Amino acid sequence: MLSPSFHNDAAPPVNDPGHVVIVGAGIVGISAAFFLSRRGVQVTVLEAAAPAAGASGASDGAVSVASKRPGLMMQLGLAGIATYRALASGGVLAGEFRERPTFIVASNAAEAEVLAEHAAALAGAGVTVRLLARAEITGLLPMVSEEVVAVARVEGEGHAIGYRVVERLARAGRFTLRRSAPVDGFVRDKTGRVTAVSTGQGGLIAADAVLVAAGNGSERLLGLSGALIPRKGQLLLTERAAGRLGAPAGPLMSSRYLLSKGAAKGGPADAARSFGLVIDPLATGQFLIGGTREDGVTNTHNDLAAVRHILREAVTLMPDLARLRLLRAFSGIRTATVDRLPIVGAVPGAENLFVATGFEGDGICLGPFMGELVHRLICGEPAAVDINALSPARFTPRAA
Amino acid sequence: MTEWKSMDIDLLVVGGGPAGMAAAVEARQAGLQVLLVDQRERLGGAIYCQPDPGCAPVAMSARHRARWQALSREFAASGAAVEFHTSFAGLDSEGLALLERRASAGEAGRVLPVRARAVVLAVGAVERIAPLPGWELPGVMSAGGLQMMMKRRGAVPVGRTLLAGSGPLLLAVASQMVALGQPPVAIIERARPFGQPAELLKLLATPGYLREALAILARLHKARVPVLHATQLTSIRLAAGGGLEVECRGQGDERRFSVDRVALHDGIRPNDFGLPGGAATGGPVLSRAGDCREALGAVAAIEDGKRAGREAARMLGLKLPAMSLQPVKRERRAQAVLARLFSPALTTPPADLPDETVICRCENRTAGDLRGLLAGHDGLSAREVKLNGRFAMGSCQGRFCADATVDFLRRCGAGAEALEASHLTGRRWPVRPVGIATLLAEGGAAADPASVIRIEEE
Ligand SMILES: Cc1cc2nc3c(=O)[nH]c(=O)nc-3n(C[C@H](O)[C@H](O)[C@H](O)COP(=O)(O)OP(=O)(O)OC[C@H]3O[C@@H](n4cnc5c(N)ncnc54)[C@H](O)[C@@H]3O)c2cc1C
Ligand SMILES: Cc1cc2nc3c(=O)[nH]c(=O)nc-3n(C[C@H](O)[C@H](O)[C@H](O)COP(=O)(O)OP(=O)(O)OC[C@H]3O[C@@H](n4cnc5c(N)ncnc54)[C@H](O)[C@@H]3O)c2cc1C
């Protein structure tokens, strides 16, 4: 499925795409810029605010297949992890990818059922996953509450911090990055080809190919009306526990998280606001605790009701957390899609216009891989994974 | 007496210093129900900080004493409700003000959500301290912190103390130390305040300041406290036999001091870190008063507090005339004179700080780290400085490093001219770290009688 050497491919493409303009300096846009520029392609990234100003700088960093929906998303998740591993051992992301297991926990019989089914799906996708017996739970995870009835330990997972990945790739790549440069439209020729992008400052920048990786800003640029849903997530960061509490070897993810995210059967969360608990032990000794899924909400505020809800669940699962202080709360806005699949590929009607967005809560995991993948599309090379199902054509029926 | 079952009030005043107290008095006079909270256990704020039980008060000038007595009398008579040990943790997106009641003997901490129609933030000022090699060592403190200790305990901590930095506060602290029988080893002042006779003359316009200044200088002179002008510290080191070894440089000459304590100070600035700005839609009318709006000193704080209290009543629909801004303007002019007198004759440009100089003490980030971050970037955004550099990210949330970081970036980083400290500190929620157990403790609801706040009604 994946060619083992693709991550180190620095040979110039057979058909040089010319000057590629990338809209958005999130993890997806910057990854694409990195892979293109490594092959000698000329790239300019135009960012409305600053690198990682969107979801990529306000998220957790689970590089994880554990929470993916069975099928294509699990397959992409595995490719995402493989990409991180290659970039970490190849040096570009050395030290930024922390390998660790994920623990999915169930607190009652109904959750245990969801958990067992999801574990089976993971195993089916080739993931090493093991259900822990109660005695093992106490031994491996002494910090979790007695209420936990079942735990699945998922191997081969990892963690990376979105904004740090963005910074490392931006430093390693040889491309132009323009901050505070919002794009407000495209200039097209008669055939529909994009010849330039226009920036908020009134300037035009000539382009031979354009990639829109602008998160929630993509909808307006591409006229994908109704396809994207901004989905706010509130996250909480504790102070350093530094030896005061035992931290698990990897994140504790409630089975309810799978439901909230719609990764497991039993419920795409269609409530306007749902909660899915993940307690993530960071390398700093802090805990990052999430989070909410709030559809259609684009403010990045926090509210006491949500914060208390998340903390109550977190303390129920890991009682010692009550001894720490909450350092800050923040929010990020995911870009979700109505059919719960990302949007990646060439935009119908403009052969040199590409899009990569709609990664909901998975873009840190999938970002570098997707950047690699779209860089191939832009160079006219075959993709490593069949992504026809992700094509923007499903949202732009009127385009010819 | 009314019991407040639900925590709905007209005006919440945060801070029990002169500004907050004056705002509460004024708003009560206009007929509003007022709740004032302070994180500490007594009223008075920074300037009128009251002694701990059993400790003797530090002498105040007659003019300050009279002001404080009048203000505390008015406040006591106003009928404003007061909660101590209670700090403001922020406004949430629903406009709820979160008050953290700290744990005390026998009582667990908890968070009280309060719905106020108006909020006046009067949380005072904080000191600036310019980083220098060794400022993070034990034994180094802020001069204002030392002053608060003296005001609370009525005594100077034992040992040799060096005061250094810039600003009139250094003189005031030294004079209080003399009065308590333990003068400082010396005052190291970067500015040359007597080098500008024309500015000095302008103090005649504010005789109160002038009289206070002369009294302080006379006392320091009598106690023979050395005051070195146009001189600055260059490094602080732990001495082999205990204590601190301090180096300073004047114009041309270098000097060393062996002391037990160094108290640093480089002026004050509003304590506006992480505070909410505009109100959420449907949230309370929000304003700031006193030093946290503009650091202009105690006299201005009282006047500005009155203005804010009156303004809150007006914003809530009461027909009252606006208050004159003249008194605050007069104080602003006086402070401007002081600022010019103490404009440093010397400063180490941040670009010259050695790499190992700590800038962020919480996360131990140094001048070298900041240089590394800047290398190869231009137009670095505040967000990148924070996220990638970890500056202003620690538990003090930028209180101690945001100014210094921005100062450094402005002078060393291309394209950083437009950066402000507030871009680094941003708005925080919570404004300060809050215990998770505290956040989860139910409080403020009618079900919890301990949280009921009593407000006197005439
Ligand atoms: C609370 C939360 C937790 C998460 N946890 C995880 C996790 O554990 N694991 C995981 O894999 N994923 C996680 N995610 C998801 C992940 O953060 C996102 O999927 C990912 O960051 C998306 O990256 P992106 O580059 O597509 O978009 P973004 O990071 O949103 O970047 C888009 C960029 O485009 C810019 N832009 C927009 N419009 C324009 C315009 N017109 N012109 C120029 N620039 C423009 C924006 O300013 C922004 O910088 C989480 C997200 C959230 C919110
Ligand atoms: C260190 C220092 C020393 C000073 N020394 C002098 C001096 O010698 N002479 C002089 O004329 N002026 C001095 N000033 C200035 C003078 O103190 C102020 O002008 C005056 O006290 C300002 O009054 P205020 O009410 O605005 O703030 P303050 O008097 O500072 O009162 C603020 C109050 O808010 C409380 N508070 C802060 N944050 C919160 C929160 N989140 N929740 C609840 N409560 C909170 C504090 O406990 C404090 O009681 C000094 C200032 C500082 C900072």
Side-chain angles (χ1 to χ4, degrees):
Chain A
M1 174 183 89
L2 291 175
S3 107
S5 65
F6 80 98
H7 305 288
N8 298 317
D9 192 348
V14 177
N15 301 308
D16 191 303
H19 181 216
V20 180
V21 171
I22 297 180
V23 187
I27 195 165
V28 175
I30 289 292
S31 295
F34 167 79
F35 285 108
L36 284 165
S37 76
R38 199 170 58 161
R39 299 184 64 189
V41 175
Q42 188 201 348
V43 179
T44 302
V45 179
L46 301 176
E47 164 54 49
S56 301
S59 62
D60 192 3
V63 176
S64 160
V65 68
S67 63
K68 302 288 179 284
R69 219 165 36 253
L72 180 58
M73 290 308 283
M74 272 193 188
Q75 198 192 344
L76 294 175
L78 287 170
I81 297 174
T83 307
Y84 270 98
R85 213 169 267 143
L87 291 173
S89 64
V92 184
L93 291 185
E96 295 297 345
F97 178 55
R98 212 155 50 93
E99 304 223 27
R100 59 183 201 180
T102 297
F103 300 97
I104 313 179
V105 300
S107 297
N108 57 43
E111 287 179 24
E113 214 169 290
V114 173
L115 175 64
E117 206 175 313
H118 193 70
L122 284 167
V127 177
T128 305
V129 55
R130 202 159 57 82
L131 287 170
L132 304 184
R134 180 62 239 186
E136 269 183 297
I137 297 175
T138 319
L140 269 176
L141 301 171
M143 71 295 294
V144 307
S145 103
E146 295 287 310
E147 279 175 39
V148 169
V149 296
V151 173
R153 179 182 165 120
V154 185
E155 303 295 342
E157 305 256 295
H159 188 263
I161 297 170
Y163 56 79
R164 296 183 61 117
V165 172
V166 167
E167 133 96 343
R168 288 286 281 270
L169 295 179
R171 258 177 202 259
R174 267 184 288 277
F175 53 85
T176 305
L177 168 59
R178 286 183 43 193
R179 298 167 172 82
S180 307
V183 169
D184 56 18
F186 307 117
V187 180
R188 301 181 186 236
D189 68 10
K190 283 198 222 66
T191 70
R193 260 184 84 88
V194 175
T195 55
V197 300
S198 84
T199 67
Q201 294 110 349
L204 286 185
I205 296 175
D208 300 306
V210 173
L211 169 64
V212 175
N216 287 307
S218 309
E219 181 165 283
R220 206 174 55 85
L221 283 176
L222 294 174
L224 293 167
S225 72
L228 301 183
I229 307 165
R231 183 171 289 162
K232 168 165 144 178
Q234 301 192 40
L235 288 179
L236 311 179
L237 184 70
T238 72
E239 64 183 329
R240 289 197 164 96
R244 273 183 288 159
L245 349 165
L252 302 174
M253 183 189 293
S254 156
S255 300
R256 287 188 302 276
Y257 177 82
L258 302 174
L259 297 174
S260 160
K261 195 177 167 194
K265 266 190 267 157
D270 32 29
R273 163 143 134 180
S274 70
F275 292 86
L277 178 67
V278 178
I279 302 175
D280 202 339
L282 303 182
T284 53
Q286 296 168 293
F287 290 88
L288 188 59
I289 308 174
T292 60
R293 284 186 146 74
E294 303 171 55
D295 278 13
V297 185
T298 54
N299 71 61
T300 52
H301 301 156
N302 295 92
D303 62 279
L304 181 66
V307 170
R308 278 186 163 162
H309 187 118
I310 296 167
L311 287 176
R312 206 169 286 125
E313 289 196 344
V315 167
T316 305
L317 179 58
M318 189 178 152
D320 278 350
L321 283 176
R323 288 161 51 195
L324 297 181
R325 291 184 306 165
L326 174 67
L327 196 55
R328 63 178 161 263
F330 59 98
S331 295
I333 315 294
R334 307 174 187 90
T335 306
T337 63
V338 287
D339 64 2
R340 294 153 69 214
L341 281 176
I343 304 176
V344 183
V347 177
E351 59 178 59
N352 63 345
L353 179 60
F354 300 84
V355 59
T357 191
F359 297 102
E360 212 269 352
D362 299 318
I364 303 305
C365 174
L366 301 182
F369 170 67
M370 284 297 165
E372 209 281 337
L373 189 143
V374 287
H375 117 268
R376 301 251 167 220
L377 299 183
I378 292 168
C379 293
E381 297 168 0
V385 175
D386 177 4
I387 52 152
N388 261 329
L390 308 184
S391 165
R394 68 196 201 272
F395 295 115
T396 49
R398 56 194 166 70
Chain B
M1 179 178 283
T2 310
E3 287 203 346
W4 285 82
K5 299 267 188 223
S6 76
M7 299 290 268
D8 285 8
I9 50 172
D10 290 336
L11 174 66
L12 170 68
V13 177
V14 182
M21 290 170 72
V25 168
E26 193 61 37
R28 282 295 298 148
Q29 274 166 12
L32 302 188
Q33 290 149 341
V34 179
L35 168 63
L36 179 147
V37 298
D38 199 292
Q39 61 195 7
R40 292 204 288 253
E41 56 295 296
R42 280 183 291 280
L43 294 169
I47 180 97
Y48 302 130
C49 174
Q50 300 302 300
D52 288 344
C55 296
V58 169
M60 251 194 264
S61 72
R63 123 189 136 107
H64 273 315
R65 196 164 47 240
R67 260 197 211 98
W68 166 242
Q69 283 166 352
L71 183 60
S72 41
R73 237 188 344 261
E74 283 174 352
F75 184 81
S78 75
V82 189
E83 288 286 310
F84 293 116
H85 284 294
T86 302
S87 56
F88 173 70
L91 282 182
D92 84 350
S93 57
E94 312 286 293
L96 273 182
L98 307 184
L99 301 181
E100 179 191 8
R101 177 95 59 95
R102 261 188 271 130
S104 57
E107 210 191 318
R110 61 177 180 273
V111 166
L112 314 178
V114 167
R115 192 167 290 286
R117 295 166 66 209
V119 176
V120 171
L121 299 172
V123 294
V126 291
E127 287 177 280
R128 286 177 196 273
I129 297 182
L132 76 145
W135 72 304
E136 74 284 4
L137 293 173
V140 181
M141 62 191 313
S142 76
L146 176 63
Q147 188 186 45
M148 293 294 265
M149 266 167 73
M150 298 191 305
K151 285 181 178 175
R152 298 184 65 141
R153 313 255 169 85
V156 185
V158 291
R160 300 155 297 172
T161 300
L162 183 70
L163 295 171
S166 189
L169 180 77
L170 291 175
L171 300 171
V173 172
S175 147
Q176 280 161 335
M177 293 175 75
V178 170
L180 291 170
Q182 284 223 50
V185 172
I187 301 174
I188 312 291
E189 165 63 59
R190 270 207 292 259
R192 203 186 294 108
F194 302 134
Q196 305 172 64
E199 289 296 331
L200 275 175
L201 281 178
K202 290 190 188 150
L203 280 182
L204 289 172
T206 46
Y209 281 90
L210 191 59
R211 234 175 290 132
E212 199 175 339
L214 290 175
I216 287 175
L217 291 174
R219 187 182 275 163
L220 294 180
H221 183 73
K222 194 164 160 224
R224 295 175 194 283
V225 174
V227 185
L228 280 65
H229 288 149
T231 306
Q232 68 175 341
L233 296 201
T234 50
S235 76
I236 307 172
R237 272 190 292 269
L238 289 177
L244 298 165
E245 203 62 55
V246 182
E247 264 177 35
C248 57
R249 192 177 62 220
Q251 279 161 333
D253 58 335
E254 295 194 359
R255 289 186 61 169
R256 283 165 189 278
F257 292 89
S258 294
V259 295
D260 300 299
R261 186 176 307 103
V262 179
L264 299 174
H265 173 85
D266 291 280
I268 59 174
R269 58 99 92 209
N271 175 22
D272 56 5
F273 301 99
L275 292 182
T281 25
V285 178
L286 193 61
S287 65
R288 298 181 189 180
D291 272 9
C292 101
R293 192 183 59 73
E294 186 180 359
L296 295 177
V299 180
I302 296 179
E303 298 298 337
D304 199 41
K306 286 188 200 161
R307 179 204 55 78
R310 172 73 63 89
E311 215 43 43
R314 282 161 47 87
M315 298 289 279
L316 295 184
L318 296 178
K319 298 238 171 336
L320 292 166
M323 232 169 230
S324 160
L325 298 174
Q326 279 315 315
V328 174
K329 285 189 180 149
R330 192 186 56 228
E331 293 302 312
R332 187 179 291 132
R333 279 194 299 272
Q335 291 293 326
V337 173
L338 287 176
R340 282 193 295 272
L341 287 175
F342 285 91
S343 69
L346 274 182
T347 44
T348 306
D352 293 349
L353 286 175
D355 270 354
E356 64 279 8
T357 312
V358 171
I359 293 195
C360 157
R361 295 188 293 186
C362 301
E363 303 269 312
N364 204 26
R365 307 293 291 159
T366 64
D369 293 330
L370 203 43
R371 283 195 185 99
L373 187 69
L374 285 176
H377 276 301
D378 41 59
L380 209 62
S381 65
R383 192 179 166 91
E384 291 161 272
V385 172
K386 258 172 88 158
L387 294 182
N388 301 321
R390 314 297 302 165
F391 290 91
M393 290 283 275
S395 54
C396 87
Q397 317 212 316
R399 275 186 171 72
F400 298 112
C401 70
D403 281 325
T405 304
V406 164
D407 203 25
F408 191 107
L409 289 171
R410 283 207 196 125
R411 299 192 204 203
C412 311
E417 297 80 14
L419 269 187
E420 305 268 346
S422 62
H423 298 158
L424 281 182
T425 52
R427 290 189 195 147
R428 301 271 185 160
W429 196 97
V431 173
R432 297 182 184 187
V434 181
I436 290 176
T438 301
L439 262 168
L440 288 182
E442 283 303 331
D448 185 353
S451 74
V452 168
I453 289 176
R454 288 159 205 283
I455 293 185
E456 300 283 345
E457 286 288 293
E458 46 283 75

